[in-house]
Amino acid sequence: MATIINSLPAQIDYEIWQGDTWLPGTITAKVNNVAIDFTGHSAKMEIRNAISKALVLTLTSDPSGGIVLTDDGIITLSMTAAQTNDLTGEYSYDLQIIYPRAIVTGK
């Protein structure tokens, strides 16, 4: 499934099955219907327990970190079966896109 967002911040709800590889599809980020060029950007997604707020897992745009950003506004998220194996209950997440000049958005 592909999701298109035209304004930030945006809320996207996901269901993740414990022990399964998670590949939710892509997110295309646009401003004024023009895809954002993520060249030079980095990203971090923190997944927290919805009740205790304890940090459970962090994804990054480092190689094999679970987040891929492209120059045509596409964000791809993924988690391995080993990463989802410990997820039980409800969680919240915050995806931050970090601009090359160290401006952080998403919080």
Coordinates of all heavy atoms in Angstrom, one line a residue:
M1 N 0.8 -1.2 0.0 CA 0.0 0.0 0.0 C 0.9 1.2 0.0 O 1.8 1.3 0.7 CB -0.9 0.0 1.2 CG -1.7 1.3 1.4 SD -2.7 1.3 2.9 CE -1.5 1.8 4.1
A2 N 0.6 2.2 -0.8 CA 1.3 3.5 -0.9 C 0.4 4.5 -0.2 O -0.8 4.6 -0.4 CB 1.6 3.8 -2.3
T3 N 1.1 5.4 0.6 CA 0.4 6.5 1.3 C 1.0 7.8 0.8 O 2.3 7.9 0.7 CB 0.6 6.4 2.8 OG1 0.1 5.1 3.2 CG2 -0.1 7.5 3.5
I4 N 0.2 8.7 0.4 CA 0.7 10.0 0.0 C 0.3 11.1 1.1 O -0.9 11.1 1.5 CB 0.1 10.4 -1.4 CG1 0.6 9.4 -2.4 CG2 0.5 11.9 -1.7 CD1 -0.1 9.7 -3.8
I5 N 1.3 11.8 1.5 CA 1.0 12.9 2.5 C 1.4 14.2 1.9 O 2.4 14.3 1.2 CB 1.7 12.7 3.8 CG1 3.2 12.5 3.7 CG2 1.1 11.5 4.6 CD1 4.0 12.5 5.0
N6 N 0.5 15.2 2.0 CA 0.7 16.5 1.5 C 0.9 17.6 2.5 O 1.1 18.7 2.2 CB -0.5 16.9 0.5 CG -0.4 16.2 -0.8 OD1 0.6 16.3 -1.5 ND2 -1.4 15.5 -1.1
S7 N 0.8 17.2 3.8 CA 1.1 18.2 4.9 C 1.8 17.4 6.0 O 1.5 16.2 6.2 CB -0.2 18.9 5.3 OG -1.1 17.9 5.9
L8 N 2.6 18.1 6.7 CA 3.3 17.5 7.9 C 3.0 18.3 9.1 O 2.8 19.6 9.0 CB 4.8 17.6 7.6 CG 5.3 16.8 6.4 CD1 6.7 17.0 6.2 CD2 5.0 15.3 6.6
P9 N 2.8 17.8 10.3 CA 2.9 16.3 10.5 C 1.7 15.6 10.0 O 0.6 16.2 9.8 CB 3.1 16.2 12.0 CG 2.4 17.4 12.5 CD 2.6 18.5 11.5
A10 N 1.8 14.3 9.8 CA 0.7 13.5 9.4 C 0.6 12.2 10.3 O 1.6 11.8 10.8 CB 0.9 13.0 8.0
Q11 N -0.6 11.7 10.5 CA -0.7 10.5 11.3 C -1.1 9.4 10.4 O -2.0 9.4 9.6 CB -1.8 10.7 12.3 CG -2.1 9.4 13.1 CD -3.1 9.6 14.2 OE1 -3.2 10.7 14.8 NE2 -3.8 8.6 14.5
I12 N -0.3 8.3 10.5 CA -0.6 7.0 9.8 C -0.6 5.9 10.8 O 0.3 5.7 11.5 CB 0.5 6.8 8.7 CG1 0.6 8.0 7.7 CG2 0.2 5.5 7.9 CD1 1.9 7.9 6.8
D13 N -1.7 5.2 10.8 CA -1.8 4.0 11.7 C -1.4 2.8 11.0 O -1.7 2.5 9.9 CB -3.3 3.9 12.2 CG -3.7 5.1 13.0 OD1 -2.9 5.7 13.8 OD2 -4.9 5.5 12.9
Y14 N -0.6 1.9 11.8 CA -0.2 0.7 11.2 C -0.6 -0.5 12.2 O -0.7 -0.3 13.4 CB 1.4 0.7 11.1 CG 2.0 1.6 10.1 CD1 2.7 2.7 10.5 CD2 1.8 1.4 8.8 CE1 3.2 3.6 9.6 CE2 2.4 2.2 7.8 CZ 3.1 3.3 8.3 OH 3.6 4.2 7.3
E15 N -0.7 -1.7 11.6 CA -0.9 -2.9 12.3 C 0.4 -3.7 12.0 O 0.7 -3.9 10.9 CB -2.1 -3.7 12.0 CG -3.4 -3.1 12.5 CD -4.6 -3.9 12.3 OE1 -4.4 -5.1 11.9 OE2 -5.7 -3.4 12.5
I16 N 1.0 -4.2 13.1 CA 2.2 -5.0 12.9 C 1.9 -6.4 13.6 O 1.5 -6.4 14.7 CB 3.4 -4.3 13.6 CG1 3.6 -3.0 12.9 CG2 4.7 -5.2 13.5 CD1 4.7 -2.1 13.6
W17 N 2.2 -7.5 12.9 CA 2.0 -8.8 13.4 C 3.3 -9.3 14.0 O 4.3 -9.3 13.4 CB 1.5 -9.8 12.3 CG 0.1 -9.3 11.8 CD1 -0.1 -8.6 10.7 CD2 -1.1 -9.5 12.5 NE1 -1.5 -8.4 10.6 CE2 -2.1 -8.9 11.7 CE3 -1.5 -10.2 13.6 CZ2 -3.5 -8.9 12.0 CZ3 -2.9 -10.2 13.9 CH2 -3.8 -9.6 13.1
Q18 N 3.2 -9.7 15.3 CA 4.3 -10.2 16.0 C 5.0 -11.3 15.3 O 4.4 -12.3 14.8 CB 3.9 -10.6 17.4 CG 5.0 -11.1 18.3 CD 4.6 -11.5 19.7 OE1 3.4 -11.9 19.8 NE2 5.5 -11.5 20.6
G19 N 6.3 -11.2 15.1 CA 7.1 -12.3 14.5 C 7.1 -12.3 13.0 O 7.8 -13.1 12.4
D20 N 6.4 -11.3 12.4 CA 6.4 -11.2 10.9 C 7.3 -10.1 10.4 O 7.5 -9.1 11.1 CB 5.0 -10.9 10.4 CG 4.1 -12.1 10.4 OD1 4.5 -13.2 10.8 OD2 2.9 -11.9 10.1
T21 N 7.9 -10.2 9.2 CA 8.6 -9.1 8.6 C 7.5 -8.0 8.3 O 6.5 -8.3 7.8 CB 9.3 -9.6 7.3 OG1 10.2 -10.6 7.6 CG2 10.0 -8.5 6.6
W22 N 7.9 -6.8 8.6 CA 6.9 -5.7 8.4 C 7.4 -4.8 7.2 O 8.5 -4.2 7.3 CB 6.9 -4.9 9.7 CG 5.9 -3.7 9.7 CD1 4.6 -3.8 9.5 CD2 6.3 -2.3 9.8 NE1 4.1 -2.5 9.6 CE2 5.1 -1.6 9.7 CE3 7.5 -1.6 9.9 CZ2 5.0 -0.2 9.8 CZ3 7.4 -0.3 10.0 CH2 6.2 0.4 10.0
L23 N 6.6 -4.8 6.2 CA 6.8 -4.0 5.0 C 5.5 -3.3 4.7 O 4.7 -3.8 3.9 CB 7.3 -4.8 3.8 CG 8.6 -5.7 4.0 CD1 8.7 -6.7 3.0 CD2 9.8 -4.7 4.1
P24 N 5.3 -2.1 5.3 CA 3.9 -1.5 5.2 C 3.7 -0.8 3.9 O 2.6 -0.3 3.7 CB 3.9 -0.5 6.3 CG 5.4 -0.1 6.5 CD 6.1 -1.3 6.2
G25 N 4.6 -0.8 2.9 CA 4.4 0.0 1.7 C 5.2 1.3 1.8 O 5.9 1.5 2.8
T26 N 5.0 2.2 0.9 CA 5.8 3.4 0.8 C 4.9 4.6 1.3 O 3.7 4.6 1.2 CB 6.3 3.7 -0.6 OG1 5.2 3.8 -1.5 CG2 7.2 2.6 -1.0
I27 N 5.6 5.6 1.7 CA 5.0 6.9 2.0 C 5.6 7.9 1.0 O 6.8 8.0 0.9 CB 5.3 7.4 3.4 CG1 4.8 6.4 4.4 CG2 4.7 8.8 3.7 CD1 5.4 6.6 5.8
T28 N 4.8 8.7 0.3 CA 5.3 9.7 -0.6 C 5.0 11.0 0.0 O 3.8 11.4 0.3 CB 4.7 9.6 -2.0 OG1 5.0 8.3 -2.6 CG2 5.3 10.7 -2.9
A29 N 6.0 11.8 0.4 CA 5.9 13.1 1.0 C 6.0 14.2 0.0 O 6.9 14.3 -0.8 CB 7.0 13.3 2.1
K30 N 4.9 15.1 0.0 CA 4.9 16.2 -1.0 C 4.6 17.5 -0.3 O 3.9 17.5 0.8 CB 3.8 15.9 -2.0 CG 4.0 14.7 -2.9 CD 2.9 14.6 -3.9 CE 3.1 13.4 -4.8 NZ 2.1 13.3 -5.9
V31 N 5.0 18.6 -0.9 CA 4.7 19.9 -0.5 C 4.1 20.6 -1.7 O 4.8 20.6 -2.8 CB 5.9 20.7 0.1 CG1 5.5 22.1 0.4 CG2 6.4 20.0 1.4
N32 N 2.9 21.1 -1.6 CA 2.3 21.7 -2.8 C 2.3 20.8 -4.0 O 2.5 21.2 -5.1 CB 2.9 23.1 -3.2 CG 2.8 24.1 -2.1 OD1 1.8 24.2 -1.4 ND2 3.9 24.9 -1.9
N33 N 2.0 19.5 -3.7 CA 1.9 18.5 -4.7 C 3.2 18.2 -5.4 O 3.3 17.6 -6.5 CB 0.8 18.7 -5.7 CG -0.5 18.4 -5.1 OD1 -0.6 17.5 -4.3 ND2 -1.6 19.1 -5.5
V34 N 4.4 18.6 -4.9 CA 5.7 18.3 -5.4 C 6.4 17.5 -4.4 O 6.5 17.8 -3.2 CB 6.5 19.7 -5.7 CG1 7.9 19.3 -6.1 CG2 5.7 20.5 -6.6
A35 N 6.9 16.3 -4.9 CA 7.7 15.4 -4.0 C 8.9 16.1 -3.4 O 9.6 16.8 -4.1 CB 8.1 14.2 -4.8
I36 N 9.1 15.8 -2.1 CA 10.3 16.3 -1.4 C 11.5 15.5 -1.8 O 11.5 14.3 -1.8 CB 10.0 16.2 0.1 CG1 8.8 17.1 0.5 CG2 11.3 16.7 0.9 CD1 8.4 16.8 2.0
D37 N 12.6 16.2 -2.1 CA 13.8 15.6 -2.4 C 14.6 15.3 -1.1 O 15.0 16.3 -0.5 CB 14.7 16.5 -3.4 CG 16.0 15.9 -3.8 OD1 16.4 14.8 -3.2 OD2 16.7 16.5 -4.6
F38 N 14.7 14.1 -0.7 CA 15.3 13.7 0.5 C 16.8 13.5 0.4 O 17.5 13.0 1.3 CB 14.7 12.5 1.1 CG 13.3 12.7 1.7 CD1 12.3 12.0 1.2 CD2 13.1 13.7 2.7 CE1 11.0 12.1 1.7 CE2 11.8 13.9 3.2 CZ 10.8 13.1 2.7
T39 N 17.5 14.0 -0.7 CA 18.9 13.8 -0.8 C 19.6 14.5 0.3 O 19.3 15.7 0.6 CB 19.4 14.4 -2.2 OG1 18.7 13.8 -3.2 CG2 20.9 14.3 -2.4
G40 N 20.5 13.8 1.0 CA 21.3 14.4 2.1 C 20.5 14.3 3.4 O 21.1 14.6 4.5
H41 N 19.3 14.0 3.4 CA 18.5 13.9 4.7 C 18.8 12.6 5.4 O 19.2 11.6 4.7 CB 17.0 14.0 4.4 CG 16.5 15.3 3.9 ND1 17.0 15.9 2.7 CD2 15.7 16.2 4.4 CE1 16.4 17.1 2.5 NE2 15.6 17.3 3.5
S42 N 18.5 12.5 6.6 CA 18.5 11.3 7.4 C 17.2 11.2 8.1 O 16.4 12.1 8.2 CB 19.7 11.2 8.3 OG 19.6 12.2 9.3
A43 N 16.9 10.0 8.7 CA 15.6 9.8 9.4 C 15.8 8.9 10.6 O 16.8 8.0 10.6 CB 14.6 9.1 8.4
K44 N 14.9 9.1 11.6 CA 14.9 8.2 12.8 C 13.5 8.0 13.2 O 12.7 9.0 13.2 CB 15.7 8.9 13.9 CG 15.7 8.1 15.2 CD 16.6 8.7 16.2 CE 16.0 9.9 16.9 NZ 16.7 10.4 18.1
M45 N 13.1 6.8 13.5 CA 11.8 6.5 14.0 C 11.9 5.7 15.3 O 12.6 4.7 15.4 CB 11.1 5.6 13.0 CG 9.7 5.2 13.3 SD 8.9 4.3 11.9 CE 7.7 3.4 12.8
E46 N 11.3 6.4 16.3 CA 11.3 5.8 17.7 C 10.0 5.1 17.9 O 8.9 5.7 17.7 CB 11.6 6.8 18.7 CG 13.0 7.4 18.7 CD 13.3 8.4 19.8 OE1 12.3 8.9 20.4 OE2 14.4 8.6 20.0
I47 N 10.0 3.8 18.3 CA 8.8 3.1 18.7 C 8.7 2.9 20.2 O 9.7 2.4 20.8 CB 8.7 1.7 17.9 CG1 8.8 2.0 16.4 CG2 7.5 0.9 18.3 CD1 9.1 0.8 15.6
R48 N 7.6 3.4 20.8 CA 7.5 3.4 22.2 C 6.2 2.7 22.7 O 5.2 2.7 22.0 CB 7.5 4.8 22.8 CG 8.7 5.6 22.5 CD 8.7 7.0 23.0 NE 9.9 7.7 22.8 CZ 11.0 7.6 23.7 NH1 10.9 6.9 24.8 NH2 12.1 8.3 23.4
N49 N 6.3 2.1 23.8 CA 5.1 1.5 24.5 C 4.1 2.6 24.7 O 4.4 3.6 25.2 CB 5.5 0.8 25.8 CG 4.4 0.1 26.4 OD1 3.5 0.8 27.0 ND2 4.4 -1.2 26.4
A50 N 2.9 2.4 24.2 CA 1.8 3.4 24.3 C 1.5 3.8 25.7 O 1.0 4.9 26.0 CB 0.6 3.0 23.5
I51 N 1.7 2.9 26.7 CA 1.3 3.1 28.1 C 2.5 3.7 28.9 O 2.4 4.8 29.5 CB 0.7 1.9 28.8 CG1 -0.6 1.5 28.1 CG2 0.5 2.1 30.3 CD1 -1.1 0.1 28.4
S52 N 3.6 3.0 28.9 CA 4.7 3.4 29.7 C 5.6 4.4 29.0 O 6.4 5.1 29.7 CB 5.6 2.2 30.1 OG 6.3 1.7 28.9
K53 N 5.5 4.6 27.7 CA 6.3 5.5 26.9 C 7.8 5.0 26.8 O 8.6 5.7 26.3 CB 6.3 6.9 27.4 CG 4.9 7.5 27.5 CD 4.1 7.5 26.3 CE 2.7 8.1 26.5 NZ 1.7 7.7 25.5
A54 N 8.0 3.8 27.3 CA 9.4 3.2 27.2 C 9.8 3.0 25.7 O 9.0 2.5 24.9 CB 9.5 1.9 28.0
L55 N 11.0 3.4 25.4 CA 11.5 3.2 24.0 C 11.8 1.7 23.8 O 12.5 1.1 24.6 CB 12.8 4.0 23.8 CG 13.5 3.9 22.5 CD1 12.6 4.4 21.4 CD2 14.8 4.6 22.5
V56 N 11.2 1.2 22.8 CA 11.3 -0.3 22.5 C 12.2 -0.5 21.3 O 13.0 -1.5 21.3 CB 9.9 -0.8 22.2 CG1 10.0 -2.3 21.9 CG2 9.0 -0.6 23.4
L57 N 12.2 0.3 20.3 CA 13.0 0.1 19.1 C 13.2 1.4 18.4 O 12.3 2.3 18.4 CB 12.2 -0.9 18.2 CG 12.8 -1.4 16.9 CD1 14.0 -2.2 17.1 CD2 11.7 -2.2 16.1
T58 N 14.4 1.5 17.8 CA 14.7 2.7 16.9 C 15.1 2.2 15.5 O 15.9 1.3 15.4 CB 15.8 3.5 17.6 OG1 15.4 3.9 18.9 CG2 16.2 4.7 16.7
L59 N 14.4 2.8 14.5 CA 14.8 2.6 13.1 C 15.5 3.8 12.7 O 15.2 4.9 13.1 CB 13.6 2.3 12.3 CG 12.7 1.2 12.6 CD1 11.5 1.1 11.7 CD2 13.4 -0.2 12.7
T60 N 16.5 3.7 11.8 CA 17.2 4.8 11.2 C 17.4 4.6 9.7 O 17.1 3.6 9.1 CB 18.6 4.9 11.8 OG1 19.4 3.8 11.4 CG2 18.6 5.0 13.3
S61 N 17.9 5.7 9.1 CA 18.2 5.6 7.6 C 19.6 5.2 7.4 O 20.1 5.2 6.2 CB 17.9 7.0 7.0 OG 18.6 8.0 7.6
D62 N 20.3 4.7 8.4 CA 21.6 4.1 8.2 C 21.4 2.9 7.4 O 20.3 2.3 7.4 CB 22.3 3.7 9.5 CG 22.6 4.9 10.4 OD1 22.8 6.0 9.8 OD2 22.7 4.8 11.6
P63 N 22.4 2.4 6.7 CA 22.3 1.2 5.9 C 21.7 0.0 6.8 O 22.2 -0.2 7.9 CB 23.7 0.9 5.4 CG 24.3 2.2 5.3 CD 23.8 3.0 6.5
S64 N 20.7 -0.6 6.3 CA 20.0 -1.7 7.0 C 19.3 -1.3 8.3 O 19.1 -2.1 9.2 CB 21.0 -2.9 7.3 OG 21.5 -3.4 6.1
G65 N 19.1 0.0 8.4 CA 18.5 0.6 9.6 C 17.0 0.6 9.6 O 16.3 0.9 10.6
G66 N 16.3 0.2 8.5 CA 14.9 0.1 8.5 C 14.1 1.2 7.8 O 12.9 1.2 7.6
I67 N 14.9 2.3 7.4 CA 14.2 3.4 6.8 C 15.1 3.8 5.5 O 16.3 3.9 5.6 CB 14.2 4.7 7.6 CG1 13.4 4.4 8.9 CG2 13.5 5.9 6.9 CD1 13.5 5.5 10.0
V68 N 14.4 3.9 4.4 CA 15.1 4.4 3.1 C 14.4 5.6 2.7 O 13.1 5.7 2.6 CB 15.0 3.3 2.1 CG1 15.6 3.8 0.8 CG2 15.7 2.0 2.5
L69 N 15.2 6.7 2.4 CA 14.7 7.9 1.8 C 15.2 8.1 0.4 O 16.3 7.7 0.1 CB 15.2 9.1 2.7 CG 14.9 9.1 4.1 CD1 15.6 10.3 4.8 CD2 13.4 9.2 4.4
T70 N 14.3 8.6 -0.5 CA 14.7 8.8 -1.9 C 14.7 10.2 -2.3 O 14.1 11.0 -1.6 CB 13.9 7.9 -2.8 OG1 12.6 8.4 -2.9 CG2 13.8 6.4 -2.4
D71 N 15.2 10.5 -3.5 CA 15.2 11.8 -4.0 C 13.9 12.2 -4.6 O 13.7 13.4 -5.0 CB 16.3 12.1 -5.0 CG 16.2 11.2 -6.3 OD1 15.3 10.3 -6.3 OD2 17.1 11.3 -7.1
D72 N 12.9 11.3 -4.7 CA 11.6 11.6 -5.2 C 10.5 11.5 -4.2 O 9.3 11.2 -4.4 CB 11.2 10.8 -6.4 CG 11.4 9.3 -6.2 OD1 11.8 8.8 -5.1 OD2 11.0 8.5 -7.1
G73 N 10.9 11.8 -2.9 CA 9.9 11.9 -1.8 C 9.4 10.6 -1.2 O 8.5 10.6 -0.4
I74 N 10.0 9.5 -1.5 CA 9.5 8.2 -1.0 C 10.3 7.8 0.2 O 11.5 7.8 0.3 CB 9.6 7.2 -2.1 CG1 8.7 7.5 -3.3 CG2 9.3 5.8 -1.6 CD1 8.8 6.6 -4.5
I75 N 9.5 7.4 1.2 CA 10.0 6.9 2.5 C 9.5 5.4 2.6 O 8.3 5.1 2.4 CB 9.4 7.7 3.7 CG1 9.7 9.2 3.6 CG2 9.9 7.1 5.0 CD1 8.9 10.0 4.6
T76 N 10.5 4.5 2.7 CA 10.1 3.1 2.9 C 10.6 2.7 4.3 O 11.7 2.9 4.7 CB 10.9 2.3 1.8 OG1 10.5 2.7 0.5 CG2 10.5 0.8 1.9
L77 N 9.6 2.1 5.0 CA 9.9 1.6 6.4 C 9.9 0.1 6.4 O 9.2 -0.6 5.6 CB 8.8 2.1 7.3 CG 8.6 3.6 7.4 CD1 7.3 3.9 8.3 CD2 9.8 4.3 8.0
S78 N 10.7 -0.6 7.2 CA 10.7 -2.0 7.4 C 11.2 -2.4 8.7 O 12.0 -1.7 9.3 CB 11.5 -2.7 6.2 OG 12.8 -2.4 6.3
M79 N 10.7 -3.6 9.2 CA 11.3 -4.3 10.4 C 11.4 -5.7 10.1 O 10.6 -6.3 9.4 CB 10.4 -4.1 11.6 CG 10.5 -2.7 12.2 SD 9.6 -2.6 13.8 CE 7.9 -2.2 13.2
T80 N 12.4 -6.3 10.6 CA 12.6 -7.8 10.4 C 11.7 -8.6 11.4 O 11.1 -8.0 12.3 CB 14.1 -8.2 10.8 OG1 14.3 -7.9 12.2 CG2 15.1 -7.4 9.9
A81 N 11.5 -9.8 11.1 CA 10.7 -10.7 12.0 C 11.3 -10.7 13.4 O 10.6 -10.7 14.4 CB 10.7 -12.1 11.4
A82 N 12.6 -10.7 13.5 CA 13.3 -10.7 14.8 C 12.9 -9.4 15.6 O 12.7 -9.4 16.8 CB 14.8 -10.8 14.7
Q83 N 12.8 -8.2 14.9 CA 12.5 -7.0 15.5 C 11.0 -7.0 16.0 O 10.7 -6.4 17.0 CB 12.7 -5.8 14.5 CG 14.2 -5.5 14.3 CD 14.4 -4.5 13.3 OE1 13.9 -4.6 12.1 NE2 15.2 -3.5 13.6
T84 N 10.1 -7.5 15.2 CA 8.7 -7.5 15.6 C 8.3 -8.6 16.6 O 7.3 -8.6 17.2 CB 7.8 -7.7 14.3 OG1 7.9 -9.0 13.8 CG2 8.1 -6.6 13.3
N85 N 9.2 -9.6 16.7 CA 8.9 -10.7 17.6 C 8.7 -10.3 19.1 O 7.9 -10.9 19.7 CB 10.1 -11.7 17.6 CG 9.7 -13.0 18.2 OD1 8.7 -13.6 17.8 ND2 10.5 -13.5 19.1
D86 N 9.3 -9.2 19.5 CA 9.1 -8.7 20.9 C 8.0 -7.7 21.1 O 7.8 -7.2 22.2 CB 10.4 -8.2 21.5 CG 11.5 -9.2 21.6 OD1 11.1 -10.4 21.8 OD2 12.7 -8.9 21.5
L87 N 7.3 -7.4 20.0 CA 6.3 -6.4 20.0 C 4.9 -7.0 20.4 O 4.4 -7.8 19.7 CB 6.1 -5.6 18.7 CG 7.3 -4.8 18.2 CD1 7.0 -4.2 16.9 CD2 7.7 -3.8 19.2
T88 N 4.4 -6.7 21.6 CA 3.1 -7.1 22.0 C 2.4 -5.9 22.6 O 3.0 -5.1 23.3 CB 3.2 -8.3 23.1 OG1 3.9 -7.8 24.2 CG2 3.9 -9.5 22.5
G89 N 1.2 -5.8 22.3 CA 0.4 -4.6 22.9 C 0.3 -3.5 21.9 O 0.4 -3.7 20.7
E90 N 0.2 -2.3 22.4 CA 0.1 -1.1 21.6 C 1.3 -0.2 21.7 O 1.8 -0.1 22.8 CB -1.2 -0.3 22.0 CG -2.5 -1.1 21.6 CD -3.7 -0.2 21.8 OE1 -3.6 1.0 21.8 OE2 -4.8 -0.8 22.0
Y91 N 1.7 0.4 20.6 CA 2.8 1.2 20.6 C 2.5 2.5 19.8 O 1.6 2.6 19.0 CB 4.0 0.5 19.9 CG 4.4 -0.7 20.6 CD1 3.8 -1.9 20.5 CD2 5.5 -0.6 21.5 CE1 4.2 -3.1 21.2 CE2 5.8 -1.8 22.3 CZ 5.2 -3.0 22.1 OH 5.6 -4.1 22.8
S92 N 3.3 3.5 20.1 CA 3.2 4.8 19.3 C 4.6 5.0 18.7 O 5.6 4.4 19.1 CB 2.8 5.9 20.2 OG 3.8 6.1 21.2
Y93 N 4.6 5.8 17.6 CA 5.9 6.0 17.0 C 6.0 7.5 16.6 O 5.0 8.2 16.4 CB 6.1 5.1 15.8 CG 5.2 5.4 14.6 CD1 5.7 6.3 13.6 CD2 3.9 4.9 14.5 CE1 4.9 6.7 12.5 CE2 3.1 5.3 13.4 CZ 3.6 6.1 12.5 OH 2.8 6.5 11.4
D94 N 7.2 7.9 16.4 CA 7.5 9.2 15.9 C 8.6 9.1 14.8 O 9.7 8.6 15.1 CB 8.0 10.1 17.0 CG 8.2 11.5 16.6 OD1 7.4 12.1 15.9 OD2 9.3 12.1 17.0
L95 N 8.3 9.5 13.6 CA 9.2 9.5 12.5 C 9.8 10.9 12.3 O 9.0 11.8 12.1 CB 8.6 9.0 11.2 CG 9.4 9.0 10.0 CD1 10.7 8.2 10.1 CD2 8.6 8.6 8.8
Q96 N 11.1 11.0 12.5 CA 11.7 12.3 12.3 C 12.6 12.3 11.0 O 13.3 11.4 10.8 CB 12.7 12.7 13.4 CG 12.0 12.8 14.8 CD 13.0 13.1 15.9 OE1 14.2 12.8 15.8 NE2 12.5 13.7 16.9
I97 N 12.4 13.4 10.2 CA 13.3 13.6 9.0 C 14.2 14.7 9.4 O 13.8 15.8 9.9 CB 12.4 14.0 7.8 CG1 11.3 13.0 7.5 CG2 13.4 14.2 6.6 CD1 11.8 11.6 7.2
I98 N 15.5 14.4 9.3 CA 16.6 15.4 9.7 C 17.2 16.0 8.5 O 17.7 15.3 7.6 CB 17.6 14.7 10.6 CG1 16.9 14.0 11.8 CG2 18.7 15.6 11.0 CD1 17.6 12.8 12.3
Y99 N 17.0 17.3 8.4 CA 17.5 18.0 7.2 C 19.0 18.1 7.2 O 19.6 18.0 8.3 CB 16.9 19.4 7.2 CG 15.5 19.5 6.9 CD1 14.5 19.3 7.9 CD2 15.0 19.7 5.6 CE1 13.2 19.3 7.7 CE2 13.6 19.7 5.4 CZ 12.7 19.5 6.4 OH 11.4 19.5 6.1
P100 N 19.7 18.2 6.1 CA 21.1 18.3 6.0 C 21.7 19.4 6.9 O 22.9 19.2 7.4 CB 21.5 18.5 4.6 CG 20.3 18.1 3.8 CD 19.1 18.3 4.7
R101 N 21.0 20.4 7.2 CA 21.5 21.5 8.0 C 21.1 21.3 9.5 O 21.1 22.2 10.3 CB 21.0 22.8 7.5 CG 21.5 23.2 6.2 CD 21.0 24.5 5.7 NE 19.5 24.6 5.6 CZ 18.8 24.3 4.6 NH1 19.3 23.9 3.5 NH2 17.5 24.4 4.6
A102 N 20.8 20.0 9.9 CA 20.5 19.6 11.3 C 19.3 20.2 11.8 O 19.1 20.3 13.0 CB 21.7 19.9 12.2
I103 N 18.3 20.6 11.0 CA 17.0 21.0 11.4 C 16.2 19.7 11.6 O 16.0 19.0 10.6 CB 16.3 22.0 10.4 CG1 17.2 23.2 10.3 CG2 14.9 22.3 10.9 CD1 16.7 24.1 9.1
V104 N 15.6 19.5 12.8 CA 14.8 18.2 13.0 C 13.4 18.6 13.0 O 12.9 19.5 13.6 CB 15.2 17.6 14.4 CG1 14.4 16.4 14.6 CG2 16.7 17.3 14.4
T105 N 12.6 17.8 12.3 CA 11.1 17.9 12.3 C 10.5 16.6 12.7 O 11.1 15.6 12.6 CB 10.6 18.3 10.9 OG1 10.9 17.2 10.0 CG2 11.2 19.6 10.4
G106 N 9.3 16.7 13.1 CA 8.5 15.5 13.5 C 8.2 15.3 14.9 O 7.5 14.4 15.3
K107 N 8.7 16.2 15.8 CA 8.4 16.1 17.2 C 7.5 17.2 17.6 O 7.5 18.3 17.2 CB 9.7 16.1 18.1 CG 10.2 14.8 18.3 CD 11.2 14.7 19.4 CE 11.4 13.3 19.8 NZ 12.4 13.1 20.8

